Amino acid sequence: MSTERIVEIGEEGKKAFASADSEESLRELEVRFLGRKSELTGILKGLKDLSPDEKREVGPLVQGVRTVLAEASASAKERVQRESRDWEAERIDVTAPGMADPLGHLHPVTSIINEVEDIFTGLGFEVADGPDLESDFYNFEALNFPADHPARDMQDTFFIESDGLDQRYLLRTHTSPVQIRYMETHTPPFRIIVPGRTFRNESTDATHEHTFHQFESLVVGERGDVTVGHLKYVAESFFSEFFGRAVTVRLRPSYFPFVEPGFEFDISCVFCGGDGCPSCKGVGWIEIGGAGMVQQKVFEAAGYPRGKYQGFAWGFGLERLAMMKYRIPDTRSFMGGDLRFIRQF
Ligand code: DAH
């Protein structure tokens, strides 16, 4: 066996792999130089017939040449693949306009809630919440609406089928039940606001919707520490900041079972500043919601001793604030599901 021939095969093979220009020609070269019927394989198979001295010489040489050719084949393969790639087809036009990912955004009511929360947390308030599905106890009873009391008719209620339950359940008609829930687990002094969804079983029009939002506020301290004056001050601070102009608050005597005294709550017209305009129907005031000093019966229902604490509470419709701020004429737009409306915000 001539070792020159083995070296020669190595040289031939290297040259052949180096000039291969297609995957097909590569496959042929692999068969020719490394395949089962190749000359090298034949030499390897014939090793067993050689003398020990020849084996020592030829064996490592054949193996070495095989390794060199296997490497030559691998790098030729890589080269051929690289060269045959259609680079033109893969060209990326970095100057082409991009495709914008569609981005969602907050619902206007959510934005308003965030804004309200920001202002109140700045005033030292905490944000509390409670369930949409309430019991009669929290929505009415504990707020001093006795069973069969006509005051319950003030709020048209969606009742839930409650057969076999401990009491009647309903969709909360206001955020006031959270007053009770919060007081059950906290001791005064505290200041909270409660933004949340509320429901009324009534026919809808431009100013009424069956599903809407309110935000409640409750400030409680030791007896004598929290007065109507504080209520007025906090309310004026909030509305002035929310509407970005000086706003005055006016309280008119009214009745809500859970406050005494109770008030109807007006703010000076945010459009004309109180001079009178079409938005306030010429009177200079806009009705906003209800407020008052917390009834001692409500404190008792929450487990507080009678006469120890004093506090104020209010409840407003959030949509109404948004309607004024953004001049939205119909409250049904918020929950109506028309995205053309939502996308304006
Ligand atoms: N919960 C009342 C409603 O929805 C509004 C209200 C009135 C809330 C007086 C209060 C309050 O906290 O003191 O009509």
Side-chain angles (χ1 to χ4, degrees), residues 17 21 26 37 42 47 61 102 150 152 174 193 233 253 264 269 282 329:
F17 280 119
D21 58 1
L26 256 178
K37 293 183 179 151
L47 276 180
L61 185 61
R152 290 195 180 207
H174 50 178
I193 56 159
Y233 172 79
E264 211 69 66
C269 178

Side-chain angles (χ1 to χ4, degrees), residues 155 173-174 176 179 200 214 216-217 256 258-259 290-292 313-315:
Q155 307 192 341
T173 57
H174 50 178
S176 305
Q179 291 189 22
R200 297 277 172 99
Q214 289 190 336
E216 194 82 10
S217 178
F256 300 95
F258 37 94
V259 281
W314 76 52

Side-chain angles (χ1 to χ4, degrees), residues 139 143 145 154-155 173-177 179 198 200 212 214-218 231 255-264 289-294 312-317:
N139 196 79
L143 291 166
F145 288 84
M154 287 164 72
Q155 307 192 341
T173 57
H174 50 178
T175 42
S176 305
Q179 291 189 22
T198 47
R200 297 277 172 99
F212 57 108
Q214 289 190 336
F215 82 101
E216 194 82 10
S217 178
L218 177 66
L231 159 60
Y255 174 74
F256 300 95
F258 37 94
V259 281
E260 180 58 42
F263 307 104
E264 211 69 66
M293 298 303 289
V294 180
F312 71 75
W314 76 52
F316 302 133

Side-chain angles (χ1 to χ4, degrees), residues 227-258:
T227 67
V228 177
H230 295 124
L231 159 60
K232 196 164 182 294
Y233 172 79
V234 171
E236 285 180 349
S237 308
F238 164 69
F239 284 107
S240 300
E241 191 160 344
F242 183 82
F243 287 109
R245 63 178 296 168
V247 169
T248 317
V249 163
R250 179 174 81 169
L251 303 173
R252 285 176 288 117
S254 185
Y255 174 74
F256 300 95
F258 37 94

